[in-house]
Amino acid sequence: MGRNILASSLQNASFSIIFQIFCRCITFAINAFIVRNVGRDVLGITNVRLLLLESTLLFLSKEAIFRAALSSKHNKQCNWAQLINQLWITVPVCFVLSIPCLYVWLNWLSTVDDYYYVQYRFGCYAIAFACVIELTAEPPIFISQVFCFVKLKVIMDTAHIFIRSCVFITIVLWNKNITIYAFGIAQIISAVTIIVGNYAFFYFYIPRLLRYRNELKRVDDKYELRKTFGNVYENMEDFPFNSIKDMVPGVLPNSNSPFNSDLQTLVFSFAKQGVLKQVLTEGEKYVMSISPVLTFSEQATYDVVNNMGSLAARFIFRPIEDSSYFYFTQTIARDVTLSAQNRDKVKEASLVLSYVCKTVTSIGLLGFVFGQSYSGTVLLLYGGMDFVEGGLPEVLLRWHCLAIVLLALNGITEGYMFATNTSKEIDTYNYYMAFFSMAFLMLSYQLTNWIGPVGFILANCSNMGFRISYSLYYIRNQYKEIGENPLRSFLPGPLFLSTLIGCGFICKISETYCRSMLYHVLVGALCTGTSLLTWSFENRQLLRAGLTRYRERKTSLTGETTIG
Protein backbone atom coordinates (compact mmCIF):
# COMPACT_ATOMS: atom_id res chain seq x y z
CA MET A 1 0.00 0.00 0.00
CA GLY A 2 1.09 3.51 -0.63
CA ARG A 3 1.40 4.51 2.98
CA ASN A 4 4.24 5.14 5.42
CA ILE A 5 4.12 2.31 7.96
CA LEU A 6 6.60 3.94 10.35
CA ALA A 7 4.75 7.29 10.31
CA SER A 8 1.42 5.56 10.89
CA SER A 9 2.89 3.51 13.73
CA LEU A 10 4.29 6.63 15.40
CA GLN A 11 0.97 8.43 15.00
CA ASN A 12 -0.86 5.44 16.42
CA ALA A 13 1.48 5.36 19.43
CA SER A 14 1.03 9.09 20.05
CA PHE A 15 -2.76 8.94 19.93
CA SER A 16 -2.79 5.76 22.03
CA ILE A 17 -0.69 7.39 24.75
CA ILE A 18 -3.12 10.31 24.92
CA PHE A 19 -6.06 7.93 25.08
CA GLN A 20 -4.44 5.80 27.78
CA ILE A 21 -3.90 8.88 29.92
CA PHE A 22 -7.55 9.83 29.49
CA CYS A 23 -8.69 6.27 30.17
CA ARG A 24 -6.54 5.81 33.27
CA CYS A 25 -7.60 9.15 34.73
CA ILE A 26 -11.24 8.08 34.51
CA THR A 27 -10.51 4.62 35.89
CA PHE A 28 -8.45 6.01 38.75
CA ALA A 29 -11.21 8.45 39.64
CA ILE A 30 -13.76 5.62 39.71
CA ASN A 31 -11.50 3.38 41.81
CA ALA A 32 -10.84 6.21 44.27
CA PHE A 33 -14.59 6.76 44.56
CA ILE A 34 -15.17 3.05 45.29
CA VAL A 35 -12.33 2.90 47.84
CA ARG A 36 -13.59 5.93 49.72
CA ASN A 37 -17.37 5.29 49.50
CA VAL A 38 -18.23 1.68 48.69
CA GLY A 39 -15.44 -0.44 50.13
CA ARG A 40 -12.36 -2.40 49.13
CA ASP A 41 -14.15 -5.75 48.99
CA VAL A 42 -16.29 -4.60 46.06
CA LEU A 43 -13.23 -3.18 44.32
CA GLY A 44 -11.44 -6.51 44.77
CA ILE A 45 -14.37 -8.41 43.22
CA THR A 46 -14.75 -6.10 40.20
CA ASN A 47 -11.15 -5.16 39.44
CA VAL A 48 -9.50 -8.48 40.23
CA ARG A 49 -12.03 -11.30 39.79
CA LEU A 50 -14.37 -9.95 37.07
CA LEU A 51 -11.76 -8.12 35.00
CA LEU A 52 -9.63 -11.27 35.14
CA LEU A 53 -12.54 -13.16 33.53
CA GLU A 54 -12.81 -10.51 30.80
CA SER A 55 -9.05 -10.52 30.19
CA THR A 56 -8.96 -14.33 30.00
CA LEU A 57 -11.82 -14.62 27.51
CA LEU A 58 -10.74 -11.79 25.20
CA PHE A 59 -7.06 -12.68 25.19
CA LEU A 60 -7.50 -16.39 24.56
CA SER A 61 -10.22 -15.82 21.96
CA LYS A 62 -8.65 -13.19 19.74
CA GLU A 63 -4.98 -12.54 20.50
CA ALA A 64 -3.54 -15.40 18.43
CA ILE A 65 -5.90 -14.84 15.49
CA PHE A 66 -5.39 -11.08 15.43
CA ARG A 67 -1.59 -11.27 15.61
CA ALA A 68 -1.42 -13.95 12.93
CA ALA A 69 -3.71 -11.93 10.64
CA LEU A 70 -1.51 -8.85 11.02
CA SER A 71 1.46 -10.89 9.84
CA SER A 72 -0.37 -12.11 6.73
CA LYS A 73 0.79 -9.11 4.67
CA HIS A 74 3.90 -11.05 3.67
CA ASN A 75 1.84 -14.14 2.72
CA LYS A 76 0.74 -13.55 -0.86
CA GLN A 77 -1.47 -16.67 -0.80
CA CYS A 78 -3.72 -15.29 1.96
CA ASN A 79 -6.63 -13.16 0.70
CA TRP A 80 -9.10 -10.89 2.46
CA ALA A 81 -11.95 -13.43 2.32
CA GLN A 82 -9.82 -15.88 4.29
CA LEU A 83 -8.83 -13.18 6.79
CA ILE A 84 -12.47 -12.21 7.40
CA ASN A 85 -13.43 -15.86 7.94
CA GLN A 86 -10.53 -16.24 10.35
CA LEU A 87 -11.46 -13.16 12.37
CA TRP A 88 -15.06 -14.31 12.80
CA ILE A 89 -13.83 -17.54 14.41
CA THR A 90 -13.14 -15.45 17.53
CA VAL A 91 -16.89 -15.27 18.29
CA PRO A 92 -17.62 -19.04 18.61
CA VAL A 93 -14.24 -19.56 20.27
CA CYS A 94 -15.15 -17.01 22.95
CA PHE A 95 -18.59 -18.58 23.42
CA VAL A 96 -17.10 -22.05 23.88
CA LEU A 97 -14.42 -20.77 26.28
CA SER A 98 -16.98 -18.86 28.34
CA ILE A 99 -18.73 -22.09 29.40
CA PRO A 100 -15.84 -23.66 31.35
CA CYS A 101 -14.63 -20.25 32.51
CA LEU A 102 -18.01 -19.38 34.01
CA TYR A 103 -18.12 -22.75 35.77
CA VAL A 104 -14.67 -22.19 37.23
CA TRP A 105 -15.37 -18.59 38.26
CA LEU A 106 -18.65 -19.53 39.96
CA ASN A 107 -17.64 -22.82 41.60
CA TRP A 108 -13.89 -23.35 41.88
CA LEU A 109 -12.35 -20.01 42.80
CA SER A 110 -12.15 -18.70 46.35
CA THR A 111 -15.61 -18.00 47.72
CA VAL A 112 -17.40 -14.66 47.64
CA ASP A 113 -19.43 -13.51 50.67
CA ASP A 114 -23.13 -14.38 50.51
CA TYR A 115 -23.98 -10.67 50.60
CA TYR A 116 -22.26 -10.15 47.23
CA TYR A 117 -22.73 -13.57 45.60
CA VAL A 118 -25.92 -12.83 43.62
CA GLN A 119 -24.38 -9.67 42.19
CA TYR A 120 -21.12 -11.49 41.53
CA ARG A 121 -22.91 -14.22 39.58
CA PHE A 122 -24.68 -11.62 37.45
CA GLY A 123 -21.36 -9.87 36.88
CA CYS A 124 -19.75 -13.09 35.60
CA TYR A 125 -22.55 -13.74 33.09
CA ALA A 126 -22.55 -10.10 32.00
CA ILE A 127 -18.79 -10.14 31.37
CA ALA A 128 -19.02 -13.34 29.31
CA PHE A 129 -21.91 -11.98 27.22
CA ALA A 130 -20.14 -8.66 26.64
CA CYS A 131 -16.97 -10.45 25.47
CA VAL A 132 -18.85 -12.63 22.98
CA ILE A 133 -20.75 -9.76 21.34
CA GLU A 134 -17.72 -7.43 21.39
CA LEU A 135 -15.77 -9.86 19.20
CA THR A 136 -18.30 -9.41 16.38
CA ALA A 137 -16.55 -6.07 15.81
CA GLU A 138 -13.13 -7.66 15.18
CA PRO A 139 -13.31 -7.46 11.33
CA PRO A 140 -13.80 -3.65 11.13
CA ILE A 141 -11.27 -3.15 13.96
CA PHE A 142 -8.70 -5.22 12.07
CA ILE A 143 -9.42 -3.43 8.79
CA SER A 144 -9.05 -0.02 10.42
CA GLN A 145 -5.65 -1.00 11.81
CA VAL A 146 -4.35 -2.48 8.54
CA PHE A 147 -5.40 0.59 6.56
CA CYS A 148 -4.10 2.91 9.30
CA PHE A 149 -7.37 4.52 10.43
CA VAL A 150 -5.62 5.76 13.55
CA LYS A 151 -8.15 8.43 14.48
CA LEU A 152 -11.03 5.94 14.27
CA LYS A 153 -9.33 3.68 16.80
CA VAL A 154 -8.75 6.55 19.20
CA ILE A 155 -12.31 7.86 18.88
CA MET A 156 -13.84 4.43 19.40
CA ASP A 157 -11.63 3.60 22.38
CA THR A 158 -12.46 6.94 23.95
CA ALA A 159 -16.21 6.49 23.38
CA HIS A 160 -15.98 2.98 24.81
CA ILE A 161 -14.38 4.02 28.09
CA PHE A 162 -16.45 7.23 28.37
CA ILE A 163 -19.82 5.50 27.95
CA ARG A 164 -18.84 2.64 30.24
CA SER A 165 -17.77 5.07 32.95
CA CYS A 166 -20.88 7.25 32.63
CA VAL A 167 -23.24 4.28 32.88
CA PHE A 168 -21.35 2.84 35.85
CA ILE A 169 -21.18 6.11 37.79
CA THR A 170 -24.84 6.94 37.11
CA ILE A 171 -26.06 3.62 38.49
CA VAL A 172 -23.72 3.69 41.52
CA LEU A 173 -24.74 7.24 42.44
CA TRP A 174 -28.34 6.10 42.27
CA ASN A 175 -27.69 3.09 44.53
CA LYS A 176 -24.29 2.21 46.02
CA ASN A 177 -25.52 -1.23 47.05
CA ILE A 178 -25.65 -2.50 43.45
CA THR A 179 -22.11 -1.57 42.40
CA ILE A 180 -21.35 -5.00 40.92
CA TYR A 181 -24.64 -4.98 38.97
CA ALA A 182 -23.64 -1.57 37.62
CA PHE A 183 -20.25 -2.91 36.59
CA GLY A 184 -21.77 -5.73 34.53
CA ILE A 185 -24.37 -3.51 32.86
CA ALA A 186 -21.72 -0.94 31.95
CA GLN A 187 -19.58 -3.65 30.32
CA ILE A 188 -22.44 -4.79 28.08
CA ILE A 189 -23.38 -1.28 26.98
CA SER A 190 -19.75 -0.40 26.21
CA ALA A 191 -19.42 -3.57 24.08
CA VAL A 192 -22.47 -2.50 22.08
CA THR A 193 -20.82 0.89 21.61
CA ILE A 194 -17.74 -0.73 20.05
CA ILE A 195 -19.85 -2.78 17.64
CA VAL A 196 -22.15 0.03 16.50
CA GLY A 197 -19.37 2.61 16.23
CA ASN A 198 -16.98 0.55 14.10
CA TYR A 199 -19.58 -0.75 11.68
CA ALA A 200 -21.25 2.66 11.43
CA PHE A 201 -17.97 4.28 10.37
CA PHE A 202 -17.49 1.92 7.43
CA TYR A 203 -21.20 2.07 6.58
CA PHE A 204 -20.77 5.78 5.82
CA TYR A 205 -17.13 5.69 4.70
CA ILE A 206 -17.28 2.99 2.01
CA PRO A 207 -19.90 4.72 -0.22
CA ARG A 208 -17.86 7.89 0.03
CA LEU A 209 -14.74 6.01 -1.03
CA LEU A 210 -16.56 4.43 -3.98
CA ARG A 211 -17.73 7.84 -5.18
CA TYR A 212 -14.17 9.09 -4.85
CA ARG A 213 -12.86 6.23 -6.98
CA ASN A 214 -15.39 6.96 -9.69
CA GLU A 215 -14.48 10.65 -9.73
CA LEU A 216 -10.78 9.77 -9.73
CA LYS A 217 -11.24 7.92 -13.02
CA ARG A 218 -12.81 10.97 -14.67
CA VAL A 219 -11.07 13.94 -13.07
CA ASP A 220 -7.35 14.65 -12.97
CA ASP A 221 -7.56 17.64 -10.61
CA LYS A 222 -6.84 16.01 -7.26
CA TYR A 223 -7.08 19.36 -5.48
CA GLU A 224 -10.74 19.65 -6.45
CA LEU A 225 -11.32 16.05 -5.35
CA ARG A 226 -9.80 16.77 -1.95
CA LYS A 227 -12.10 19.77 -1.54
CA THR A 228 -15.10 17.59 -2.39
CA PHE A 229 -14.26 14.41 -0.50
CA GLY A 230 -11.91 15.64 2.23
CA ASN A 231 -9.29 13.29 3.68
CA VAL A 232 -10.00 10.19 1.60
CA TYR A 233 -6.86 8.19 0.94
CA GLU A 234 -6.07 8.23 -2.78
CA ASN A 235 -4.14 4.95 -2.77
CA MET A 236 -7.14 2.95 -1.57
CA GLU A 237 -7.67 1.20 -4.90
CA ASP A 238 -6.72 -2.01 -3.09
CA PHE A 239 -9.40 -1.50 -0.42
CA PRO A 240 -11.40 -4.69 -1.05
CA PHE A 241 -14.76 -3.86 0.52
CA ASN A 242 -17.79 -2.42 -1.29
CA SER A 243 -20.11 -2.47 1.73
CA ILE A 244 -20.12 -3.61 5.34
CA LYS A 245 -21.76 -6.84 4.16
CA ASP A 246 -18.34 -7.82 2.82
CA MET A 247 -17.15 -7.97 6.43
CA VAL A 248 -19.46 -10.92 7.05
CA PRO A 249 -17.88 -14.35 6.47
CA GLY A 250 -18.55 -15.95 3.09
CA VAL A 251 -19.58 -12.77 1.25
CA LEU A 252 -16.30 -11.72 -0.41
CA PRO A 253 -15.51 -13.73 -3.57
CA ASN A 254 -12.95 -16.43 -2.82
CA SER A 255 -11.65 -19.01 -5.28
CA ASN A 256 -9.43 -20.60 -2.64
CA SER A 257 -10.31 -22.57 0.48
CA PRO A 258 -12.22 -20.74 3.24
CA PHE A 259 -9.13 -20.72 5.47
CA ASN A 260 -5.42 -20.35 4.71
CA SER A 261 -3.31 -23.27 5.97
CA ASP A 262 -0.20 -21.14 6.61
CA LEU A 263 -2.28 -18.64 8.57
CA GLN A 264 -3.85 -21.47 10.57
CA THR A 265 -0.42 -22.84 11.47
CA LEU A 266 0.66 -19.41 12.69
CA VAL A 267 -2.59 -19.05 14.68
CA PHE A 268 -2.01 -22.36 16.47
CA SER A 269 1.56 -21.35 17.29
CA PHE A 270 0.37 -18.02 18.72
CA ALA A 271 -2.48 -19.77 20.56
CA LYS A 272 -0.12 -22.08 22.45
CA GLN A 273 2.06 -19.11 23.23
CA GLY A 274 -0.96 -16.99 24.17
CA VAL A 275 -2.03 -19.31 26.98
CA LEU A 276 1.42 -19.11 28.52
CA LYS A 277 1.65 -15.35 28.01
CA GLN A 278 -1.74 -14.88 29.67
CA VAL A 279 -0.53 -16.83 32.71
CA LEU A 280 2.58 -14.66 32.87
CA THR A 281 0.63 -11.43 32.42
CA GLU A 282 -2.17 -12.13 34.90
CA GLY A 283 -0.45 -14.79 36.99
CA GLU A 284 -0.73 -12.98 40.30
CA LYS A 285 -4.50 -12.52 39.82
CA TYR A 286 -4.92 -16.22 39.09
CA VAL A 287 -2.99 -17.08 42.26
CA MET A 288 -5.11 -14.60 44.25
CA SER A 289 -8.34 -16.04 42.85
CA ILE A 290 -7.48 -19.73 43.15
CA SER A 291 -5.81 -19.68 46.56
CA PRO A 292 -6.94 -17.66 49.59
CA VAL A 293 -3.53 -16.04 50.15
CA LEU A 294 -5.14 -12.58 50.20
CA THR A 295 -8.59 -11.34 51.17
CA PHE A 296 -10.66 -9.32 48.68
CA SER A 297 -9.71 -6.18 50.60
CA GLU A 298 -6.00 -7.02 50.30
CA GLN A 299 -6.51 -7.91 46.64
CA ALA A 300 -8.07 -4.49 46.10
CA THR A 301 -5.09 -2.81 47.78
CA TYR A 302 -2.65 -4.76 45.64
CA ASP A 303 -4.66 -4.03 42.49
CA VAL A 304 -4.78 -0.28 43.18
CA VAL A 305 -1.04 -0.17 43.84
CA ASN A 306 -0.34 -2.42 40.86
CA ASN A 307 -2.37 -0.15 38.56
CA MET A 308 -0.70 2.92 39.95
CA GLY A 309 2.74 1.37 39.55
CA SER A 310 1.84 0.35 36.01
CA LEU A 311 0.89 3.85 34.89
CA ALA A 312 3.94 4.12 32.67
CA ALA A 313 3.21 0.69 31.19
CA ARG A 314 -0.40 1.56 30.42
CA PHE A 315 0.16 5.17 29.35
CA ILE A 316 3.35 4.77 27.36
CA PHE A 317 4.86 1.29 27.14
CA ARG A 318 1.79 -0.61 25.91
CA PRO A 319 0.90 1.85 23.09
CA ILE A 320 4.54 1.97 21.99
CA GLU A 321 4.73 -1.83 22.16
CA ASP A 322 1.58 -2.27 20.05
CA SER A 323 2.69 0.27 17.45
CA SER A 324 6.21 -1.18 17.35
CA TYR A 325 4.81 -4.67 16.85
CA PHE A 326 2.70 -3.41 13.94
CA TYR A 327 5.70 -1.62 12.43
CA PHE A 328 8.00 -4.65 12.70
CA THR A 329 5.39 -7.04 11.24
CA GLN A 330 5.03 -4.77 8.21
CA THR A 331 8.79 -4.18 7.80
CA ILE A 332 10.47 -7.54 8.51
CA ALA A 333 9.27 -10.75 6.82
CA ARG A 334 9.02 -13.75 9.14
CA ASP A 335 10.24 -16.60 6.98
CA VAL A 336 13.07 -14.79 5.18
CA THR A 337 16.56 -14.24 6.61
CA LEU A 338 17.56 -10.61 7.15
CA SER A 339 20.36 -10.91 4.58
CA ALA A 340 17.78 -11.73 1.90
CA GLN A 341 15.50 -8.78 2.71
CA ASN A 342 15.63 -5.12 1.71
CA ARG A 343 18.81 -3.76 3.33
CA ASP A 344 17.41 -0.27 3.92
CA LYS A 345 14.30 -1.60 5.65
CA VAL A 346 16.33 -3.94 7.84
CA LYS A 347 18.70 -1.14 8.84
CA GLU A 348 15.77 1.15 9.62
CA ALA A 349 14.17 -1.59 11.75
CA SER A 350 17.46 -2.04 13.63
CA LEU A 351 17.67 1.69 14.39
CA VAL A 352 14.02 1.87 15.44
CA LEU A 353 14.47 -1.09 17.78
CA SER A 354 17.57 0.46 19.36
CA TYR A 355 15.98 3.91 19.79
CA VAL A 356 12.72 2.56 21.20
CA CYS A 357 14.54 0.34 23.72
CA LYS A 358 16.65 3.29 24.87
CA THR A 359 13.60 5.54 25.23
CA VAL A 360 11.38 3.15 27.20
CA THR A 361 14.27 2.07 29.45
CA SER A 362 14.96 5.71 30.27
CA ILE A 363 11.30 6.22 31.16
CA GLY A 364 11.39 3.12 33.35
CA LEU A 365 14.46 4.37 35.22
CA LEU A 366 12.77 7.73 35.81
CA GLY A 367 9.81 5.92 37.36
CA PHE A 368 12.04 3.76 39.54
CA VAL A 369 14.19 6.60 40.91
CA PHE A 370 11.42 9.08 41.67
CA GLY A 371 9.04 6.35 42.84
CA GLN A 372 11.28 5.70 45.84
CA SER A 373 10.63 9.20 47.17
CA TYR A 374 7.08 9.94 46.02
CA SER A 375 5.16 6.68 46.48
CA GLY A 376 3.76 7.71 49.85
CA THR A 377 2.78 11.15 48.59
CA VAL A 378 0.88 9.78 45.59
CA LEU A 379 -0.96 7.14 47.62
CA LEU A 380 -1.93 9.65 50.31
CA LEU A 381 -3.45 11.98 47.72
CA TYR A 382 -5.22 9.09 46.02
CA GLY A 383 -6.76 7.05 48.81
CA GLY A 384 -6.51 9.19 51.94
CA MET A 385 -5.01 8.41 55.33
CA ASP A 386 -7.08 5.25 55.87
CA PHE A 387 -5.74 3.74 52.65
CA VAL A 388 -2.04 4.27 53.44
CA GLU A 389 -2.38 3.30 57.10
CA GLY A 390 0.02 0.50 58.00
CA GLY A 391 2.50 1.32 55.23
CA LEU A 392 1.76 -1.71 53.02
CA PRO A 393 0.58 0.28 49.94
CA GLU A 394 3.73 2.45 50.02
CA VAL A 395 6.03 -0.57 50.28
CA LEU A 396 4.22 -2.28 47.40
CA LEU A 397 4.45 0.77 45.16
CA ARG A 398 8.18 1.24 45.81
CA TRP A 399 8.89 -2.36 44.90
CA HIS A 400 6.64 -2.06 41.86
CA CYS A 401 8.81 0.76 40.57
CA LEU A 402 11.58 -1.81 40.17
CA ALA A 403 9.31 -3.89 37.95
CA ILE A 404 8.68 -0.85 35.73
CA VAL A 405 12.27 -0.86 34.49
CA LEU A 406 12.10 -4.52 33.48
CA LEU A 407 8.60 -4.14 32.08
CA ALA A 408 9.78 -1.36 29.79
CA LEU A 409 12.54 -3.39 28.16
CA ASN A 410 10.64 -6.67 28.10
CA GLY A 411 7.67 -5.26 26.18
CA ILE A 412 9.73 -3.98 23.25
CA THR A 413 12.26 -6.81 22.94
CA GLU A 414 9.67 -9.56 23.25
CA GLY A 415 7.32 -7.68 20.92
CA TYR A 416 10.05 -7.53 18.27
CA MET A 417 10.75 -11.23 18.71
CA PHE A 418 7.07 -12.15 18.30
CA ALA A 419 6.78 -9.91 15.22
CA THR A 420 9.71 -11.59 13.41
CA ASN A 421 9.63 -15.21 14.68
CA THR A 422 8.86 -18.02 12.25
CA SER A 423 6.21 -20.58 13.26
CA LYS A 424 8.97 -23.01 14.22
CA GLU A 425 10.73 -20.41 16.39
CA ILE A 426 7.43 -19.54 18.08
CA ASP A 427 6.89 -23.20 18.92
CA THR A 428 10.41 -23.43 20.32
CA TYR A 429 9.85 -20.37 22.50
CA ASN A 430 6.61 -21.91 23.77
CA TYR A 431 8.66 -24.49 25.67
CA TYR A 432 10.62 -21.73 27.36
CA MET A 433 7.39 -19.87 28.09
CA ALA A 434 6.01 -22.99 29.73
CA PHE A 435 9.05 -23.10 32.01
CA PHE A 436 8.76 -19.36 32.76
CA SER A 437 5.05 -19.76 33.54
CA MET A 438 5.53 -22.62 35.96
CA ALA A 439 8.45 -20.91 37.67
CA PHE A 440 6.46 -17.69 37.96
CA LEU A 441 3.40 -19.37 39.49
CA MET A 442 5.46 -21.34 41.99
CA LEU A 443 7.50 -18.26 42.94
CA SER A 444 4.33 -16.18 43.30
CA TYR A 445 2.68 -18.68 45.62
CA GLN A 446 5.76 -19.37 47.72
CA LEU A 447 7.04 -15.79 48.03
CA THR A 448 3.56 -14.51 48.86
CA ASN A 449 3.27 -17.00 51.69
CA TRP A 450 6.69 -15.89 52.97
CA ILE A 451 6.64 -12.10 52.59
CA GLY A 452 3.07 -11.19 51.61
CA PRO A 453 1.95 -9.23 48.51
CA VAL A 454 5.52 -8.07 47.76
CA GLY A 455 6.17 -11.67 46.72
CA PHE A 456 4.01 -11.16 43.62
CA ILE A 457 6.20 -8.28 42.49
CA LEU A 458 9.48 -10.11 43.07
CA ALA A 459 8.21 -13.17 41.20
CA ASN A 460 7.17 -10.92 38.31
CA CYS A 461 10.62 -9.28 38.22
CA SER A 462 12.31 -12.69 38.06
CA ASN A 463 10.00 -13.78 35.26
CA MET A 464 10.65 -10.65 33.19
CA GLY A 465 14.38 -11.02 33.70
CA PHE A 466 14.27 -14.51 32.14
CA ARG A 467 12.18 -13.30 29.19
CA ILE A 468 14.38 -10.27 28.52
CA SER A 469 17.50 -12.45 28.47
CA TYR A 470 15.97 -14.78 25.90
CA SER A 471 14.73 -11.90 23.69
CA LEU A 472 18.14 -10.18 23.70
CA TYR A 473 19.81 -13.47 22.79
CA TYR A 474 17.42 -13.89 19.85
CA ILE A 475 17.92 -10.31 18.57
CA ARG A 476 21.70 -10.53 18.80
CA ASN A 477 21.81 -13.79 16.83
CA GLN A 478 19.35 -12.58 14.20
CA TYR A 479 21.38 -9.47 13.30
CA LYS A 480 24.77 -11.15 13.58
CA GLU A 481 24.61 -12.43 9.98
CA ILE A 482 24.37 -8.91 8.51
CA GLY A 483 26.87 -7.22 10.82
CA GLU A 484 24.27 -5.09 12.64
CA ASN A 485 23.77 -4.95 16.40
CA PRO A 486 20.76 -2.92 17.64
CA LEU A 487 21.75 -3.82 21.21
CA ARG A 488 24.98 -1.84 21.01
CA SER A 489 23.33 1.41 22.11
CA PHE A 490 19.94 0.40 23.50
CA LEU A 491 20.60 1.57 27.08
CA PRO A 492 20.67 5.19 28.37
CA GLY A 493 23.97 7.06 28.38
CA PRO A 494 26.24 7.74 31.39
CA LEU A 495 25.38 11.45 31.67
CA PHE A 496 21.66 10.73 32.06
CA LEU A 497 22.31 7.92 34.54
CA SER A 498 24.61 10.10 36.67
CA THR A 499 22.07 12.93 36.72
CA LEU A 500 19.31 10.50 37.64
CA ILE A 501 21.27 9.09 40.58
CA GLY A 502 22.01 12.58 41.89
CA CYS A 503 18.37 13.65 41.57
CA GLY A 504 17.30 10.48 43.37
CA PHE A 505 19.45 11.35 46.40
CA ILE A 506 18.12 14.91 46.46
CA CYS A 507 14.51 13.71 46.41
CA LYS A 508 15.18 11.20 49.17
CA ILE A 509 16.64 13.95 51.36
CA SER A 510 13.60 16.10 50.56
CA GLU A 511 11.25 13.28 51.61
CA THR A 512 13.08 12.87 54.92
CA TYR A 513 13.50 16.49 55.98
CA CYS A 514 10.88 18.51 54.06
CA ARG A 515 7.70 18.91 56.12
CA SER A 516 5.66 20.57 53.39
CA MET A 517 4.21 18.27 50.73
CA LEU A 518 4.10 21.17 48.27
CA TYR A 519 7.84 21.86 48.62
CA HIS A 520 8.59 18.17 48.31
CA VAL A 521 6.59 17.99 45.06
CA LEU A 522 8.34 21.10 43.71
CA VAL A 523 11.74 19.53 44.40
CA GLY A 524 10.64 16.44 42.50
CA ALA A 525 9.37 18.50 39.56
CA LEU A 526 12.68 20.39 39.36
CA CYS A 527 14.71 17.15 39.47
CA THR A 528 12.48 15.53 36.84
CA GLY A 529 12.92 18.52 34.54
CA THR A 530 16.69 18.40 35.01
CA SER A 531 16.75 14.69 34.18
CA LEU A 532 14.66 15.18 31.05
CA LEU A 533 16.85 18.03 29.83
CA THR A 534 19.94 15.89 30.36
CA TRP A 535 18.40 13.03 28.41
CA SER A 536 17.40 15.38 25.60
CA PHE A 537 20.93 16.77 25.38
CA GLU A 538 22.50 13.33 25.40
CA ASN A 539 20.07 12.03 22.75
CA ARG A 540 19.84 15.11 20.56
CA GLN A 541 20.59 13.03 17.46
CA LEU A 542 17.57 10.84 18.16
CA LEU A 543 15.36 13.88 18.72
CA ARG A 544 16.57 15.44 15.46
CA ALA A 545 15.72 12.23 13.61
CA GLY A 546 12.24 12.21 15.14
CA LEU A 547 11.70 15.88 14.25
CA THR A 548 12.82 15.21 10.68
CA ARG A 549 10.34 12.35 10.41
CA TYR A 550 7.58 14.58 11.72
CA ARG A 551 8.37 17.35 9.22
CA GLU A 552 8.52 14.86 6.35
CA ARG A 553 5.15 13.52 7.33
CA LYS A 554 3.61 17.00 7.58
CA THR A 555 5.02 17.80 4.14
CA SER A 556 3.55 14.64 2.65
CA LEU A 557 0.18 15.38 4.23
CA THR A 558 0.04 18.85 2.67
CA GLY A 559 1.19 17.59 -0.73
CA GLU A 560 -0.87 14.39 -1.02
CA THR A 561 -4.28 13.05 -0.12
CA THR A 562 -4.05 10.99 3.07
CA ILE A 563 -6.26 8.82 5.19
CA GLY A 564 -9.25 10.22 7.02
Side-chain angles (χ1 to χ4, degrees), residues 84-110:
I84 294 298
N85 293 341
Q86 192 75 45
L87 290 167
W88 273 96
I89 291 179
T90 58
V91 179
V93 167
C94 186
F95 177 78
V96 171
L97 286 175
S98 66
I99 296 173
C101 283
L102 283 173
Y103 182 81
V104 170
W105 255 251
L106 293 173
N107 298 282
W108 285 9
L109 301 186
S110 57

Side-chain angles (χ1 to χ4, degrees), residues 1-2 147-149 202 205 209 212-213 232-240 563-564:
M1 299 177 189
F147 287 94
C148 300
F149 289 91
F202 285 105
Y205 178 83
L209 176 63
Y212 175 81
R213 284 178 180 168
V232 179
Y233 189 45
E234 71 175 29
N235 290 326
M236 287 291 236
E237 286 84 1
D238 54 350
F239 191 78
I563 57 174

Side-chain angles (χ1 to χ4, degrees), residues 537-549:
F537 173 77
E538 195 170 44
N539 296 276
R540 52 193 180 277
Q541 183 180 355
L542 171 59
L543 295 178
R544 283 198 207 100
L547 185 60
T548 301
R549 282 281 182 185

Side-chain angles (χ1 to χ4, degrees), residues 32 93 232-233 278 442 447 466 470 528 561:
V93 167
V232 179
Y233 189 45
Q278 177 67 7
M442 289 189 292
L447 290 176
F466 292 139
Y470 187 92
T528 303
T561 308

Side-chain angles (χ1 to χ4, degrees), residues 259-325:
F259 301 101
N260 181 272
S261 58
D262 292 337
L263 180 59
Q264 290 287 79
T265 301
L266 193 58
V267 167
F268 287 129
S269 296
F270 274 127
K272 290 182 287 185
Q273 189 183 83
V275 174
L276 300 173
K277 187 176 180 181
Q278 177 67 7
V279 171
L280 292 174
T281 303
E282 303 282 10
E284 67 270 17
K285 290 186 179 180
Y286 287 118
V287 173
M288 288 180 197
S289 300
I290 294 172
S291 118
V293 292
L294 300 178
T295 64
F296 277 115
S297 178
E298 291 173 327
Q299 290 179 32
T301 302
Y302 177 85
D303 184 67
V304 168
V305 172
N306 183 57
N307 285 333
M308 193 170 290
S310 302
L311 281 177
R314 296 177 185 274
F315 285 177
I316 302 173
F317 300 152
R318 183 60 185 269
I320 293 176
E321 180 185 342
D322 290 343
S323 297
S324 298
Y325 178 83

